[in-house]
């Protein structure tokens, strides 16, 4: 469980914030990497709707891997109550009826198969990728995401 607060920054603010974090001795905890996520939702897009409307209690289901390495592909249910977030790993060995998502391309070097449905209700609806930088300062964890 952790507290999460999100802010939207302009491109200029990103560079200013990154410089500021280094000035106050924030440490880069990981090298920057590409985050790839596949989000699941029901036929009415209720999970997305709950997020957009900012319901205080909501969850999302996603599959995630980093950089070009789909060998480590985690499925998670991420719940939120107000600013408090919880993340649960969903064991994907029980998923059946998999779909090929991406064939060999310049971006990925192997076929990625994902579950057609999770919990007999949620299907894949969107694939996103972005770059993430990681910083720590005392007990604070800061991530900066950008396209």
């Amino acid at each position: 469980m952790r507290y999460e607060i999100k802010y939207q920054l302009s491109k200029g603010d990103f560079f200013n914030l990154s410089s500021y974090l280094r000035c106050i001795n924030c440490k880069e905890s990981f090298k920057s990497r590409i985050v790839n996520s596949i989000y699941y939702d029901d036929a009415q897009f209720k999970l997305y709707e709950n997020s957009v409307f900012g319901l205080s209690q909501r969850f999302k289901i996603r599959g995630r891997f980093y950089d070009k390495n789909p060998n480590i592909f985690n499925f998670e249910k991420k719940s939120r109550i107000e600013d408090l977030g919880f993340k649960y790993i969903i064991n994907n060995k029980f998923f059946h009826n998999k779909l090929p998502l991406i064939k060999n391309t310049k971006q990925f070097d192997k076929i990625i198969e994902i579950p057609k449905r999770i919990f007999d209700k949620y299907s894949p609806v969107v694939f996103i990728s972005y770059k993430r930088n990681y910083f720590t300062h005392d007990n604070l964890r800061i991530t900066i995401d950008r396209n």
Side-chain angles (χ1 to χ4, degrees):
M1 143 178 77
R2 65 180 175 213
Y3 286 96
E4 297 180 356
I5 302 172
K6 297 182 181 188
Y7 299 96
Q8 190 169 347
L9 302 174
S10 70
K11 194 177 273 191
D13 288 339
F14 163 76
F15 292 109
N16 291 337
L17 179 60
S18 295
S19 297
Y20 174 74
L21 292 175
R22 287 182 179 89
C23 285
I24 63 168
N25 292 323
C26 283
K27 305 290 183 226
E28 205 164 346
S29 49
F30 297 103
K31 71 178 187 102
S32 64
R33 59 186 178 176
I34 303 297
V35 177
N36 303 286
S37 298
I38 299 161
Y39 285 88
Y40 284 71
D41 210 332
D42 63 16
Q44 291 76 38
F45 295 97
K46 282 293 188 191
L47 302 182
Y48 173 74
E49 184 178 281
N50 293 346
S51 178
V52 168
F53 290 130
L55 291 185
S56 61
Q57 293 187 19
R58 61 187 184 267
F59 69 92
K60 57 186 162 189
I61 298 173
R62 68 182 174 208
R64 177 168 277 183
F65 66 97
Y66 299 93
D67 292 323
K68 295 182 180 182
N69 186 8
N71 294 326
I72 303 171
F73 198 115
N74 290 318
F75 284 89
E76 30 188 74
K77 178 180 179 185
K78 189 171 179 185
S79 300
R80 190 171 177 111
I81 301 173
E82 303 290 338
D83 290 335
L84 196 55
F86 306 85
K87 191 186 302 185
Y88 307 95
I89 301 299
I90 302 169
N91 191 332
N92 64 4
K93 72 180 182 180
F94 299 109
F95 297 146
H96 305 290
N97 300 325
K98 294 189 177 181
L99 296 168
L101 173 67
I102 299 171
K103 296 192 176 181
N104 295 355
T105 66
K106 290 180 184 175
Q107 189 176 5
F108 303 104
D109 53 7
K110 81 176 249 188
I111 295 173
I112 302 169
E113 289 188 331
I114 61 169
K116 259 186 183 175
R117 295 180 71 72
I118 294 179
F119 304 134
D120 289 327
K121 181 175 183 178
Y122 303 104
S123 301
V125 293
V126 67
F127 177 87
I128 62 167
S129 291
Y130 53 88
K131 189 171 191 172
R132 173 171 281 175
N133 294 78
Y134 301 85
F135 297 93
T136 55
H137 185 26
D138 296 328
N139 292 330
L140 186 64
R141 179 177 172 247
I142 302 164
T143 59
I144 302 175
D145 300 340
R146 61 191 164 112
N147 290 343

